[in-house]
Amino acid sequence: MATKVEIKKLLEKYILWLGEDLEMRWNSWVNDLENTEIYEVIGGLMSRQVSIANEFASNSNLWNPNIAPILMRSLIDNYINFSWITRDPLERSQKYIYFGLGQDKLQLEHRKSLQNTNPSEENRMIIDAIESWINSQNYDF
């Protein structure tokens, strides 16, 4: 049976390998400047997967029946999105972006409704920030 020290060393190697693998894939990927959304979406999903896996592997306190399933579900959801997008990268990357922007627009409308019924300076600042962010996303496919 492996000792705690051996397990820790193995996890440290795993985290190192994940980072090296991500960097190798990132650097070997030819970025199509005509379709940057593919690079941004797929690259972002790969980075998220590695980031969540690193945090999970490096913190054994998360390996419990309450937290581990939540993190594993995040990894699985991310993998499902990644797999779906890579079947038609250009079209599905665009759909992924539009979906996210749609969610932000929905949140913005909820915030505006809340502001109309119960005005606050904090909510106004959040509304302004969300609007600014949405307007900064100039995706016009």
Side-chain angles (χ1 to χ4, degrees):
M1 187 164 156
T3 67
K4 287 183 181 182
V5 173
E6 291 171 332
I7 292 171
K8 184 177 180 180
K9 285 181 181 180
L10 180 63
L11 289 171
E12 288 170 355
K13 283 183 183 179
Y14 173 73
I15 291 168
L16 179 68
W17 292 335
L18 277 176
E20 289 173 351
D21 188 62
L22 177 64
E23 184 177 351
M24 183 265 314
R25 290 174 192 275
W26 189 271
N27 291 333
S28 65
W29 193 5
V30 177
N31 187 358
D32 178 1
L33 296 178
E34 295 292 317
N35 301 304
T36 59
E37 59 271 14
I38 296 171
Y39 190 72
E40 292 169 359
V41 169
I42 293 175
L45 290 172
M46 285 191 314
S47 296
R48 179 183 298 155
Q49 194 78 351
V50 168
S51 179
I52 294 170
N54 279 344
E55 291 299 321
F56 189 53
S58 65
N59 189 347
S60 60
N61 290 329
L62 300 175
W63 304 357
N64 65 65
N66 298 313
I67 302 299
I70 295 168
L71 292 173
M72 294 306 294
R73 179 60 198 206
S74 295
L75 289 167
I76 292 166
D77 284 345
N78 198 57
Y79 177 78
I80 290 168
N81 286 332
F82 184 85
S83 296
W84 178 76
I85 290 167
T86 56
R87 291 182 186 257
D88 187 355
L90 180 58
E91 181 182 341
R92 292 182 177 184
S93 289
Q94 293 169 349
K95 287 180 177 181
Y96 186 82
I97 291 168
Y98 276 140
F99 177 79
L101 289 173
Q103 293 295 316
D104 289 335
K105 289 177 182 178
L106 183 61
Q107 179 189 9
L108 176 64
E109 292 307 313
H110 287 303
R111 289 270 181 191
K112 286 180 177 179
S113 177
L114 177 65
Q115 183 69 1
N116 289 337
T117 59
N118 189 12
S120 76
E121 182 59 28
E122 179 183 352
N123 199 42
R124 168 58 32 212
M125 290 171 51
I126 293 171
I127 289 170
D128 291 344
I130 294 171
E131 282 180 335
S132 177
W133 187 85
I134 289 171
N135 291 334
S136 73
Q137 305 303 306
N138 294 320
Y139 288 104
D140 188 16
F141 306 119

